[in-house]
Amino acid sequence: MAEMMQFDLVSPERKLASGQVRAVQIPGADGDLTAMSDHAATITTLRPGVLTSEGPEGNTRYVVTGGFAEITPQGTSVLAERAFPANAEGRAALDVILQEMRTKAANSSGADKDALDKAADDLERAISSIA
């Protein structure tokens, strides 16, 4: 059985999670990764997507819109731009954010529009995975 590590998920509005987990699946900007106890020290940026913590009581899912993750051998800290539980309440808030992103992308051009469109597409995929 995998060893436990500390996991913390915070956004500017609140702390969403803090506790011992076996693993955290992270939507990294350069690709998905799984952090576990004794992981090499890493800092990565996040893309919009689903973050899953695997704890003693099962998996807990959150949707993040971006941010940073710091992974150490002892634990993982995620500082999200915005984060919501992957549930109906979270989905409603994320739908509003997605619409804001789409509007902003429609009023942008060039590299800014491309980045906003990609972020909106990533967020839309994450929202669609919420039951």
Side-chain angles (χ1 to χ4, degrees):
M1 177 175 260
E3 290 185 39
M4 303 296 269
M5 67 173 185
Q6 180 63 34
F7 168 61
D8 295 293
L9 171 61
V10 296
S11 71
E13 297 87 24
R14 60 190 167 165
K15 179 184 278 189
L16 281 97
S18 181
Q20 296 290 305
V21 299
R22 284 184 289 282
V24 181
Q25 297 172 9
I26 300 169
D30 293 327
D32 293 345
L33 65 140
T34 300
M36 299 176 79
S37 179
D38 295 327
H39 193 287
T42 305
I43 295 178
T44 186
T45 55
L46 306 177
R47 72 173 196 292
V50 176
L51 182 144
T52 304
S53 66
E54 299 173 13
E57 287 86 39
N59 294 351
T60 305
R61 296 169 19 136
Y62 306 90
V63 178
V64 297
T65 62
F68 297 91
E70 178 184 25
I71 304 165
T72 68
Q74 296 78 33
T76 299
S77 296
V78 176
L79 308 170
E81 289 174 355
R82 294 181 185 167
F84 300 90
N87 59 25
E89 182 180 320
R91 183 181 181 130
L94 289 161
D95 284 336
V96 171
I97 293 168
L98 177 60
Q99 186 57 44
E100 291 170 358
M101 282 179 143
R102 293 282 186 212
T103 300
K104 195 171 181 180
N107 294 318
S108 299
S109 62
D112 289 341
K113 179 175 179 25
D114 292 344
L116 286 165
D117 282 336
K118 181 177 180 343
D121 289 345
D122 287 342
L123 183 57
E124 188 168 27
R125 273 191 295 283
I127 291 170
S128 70
S129 74
I130 298 173

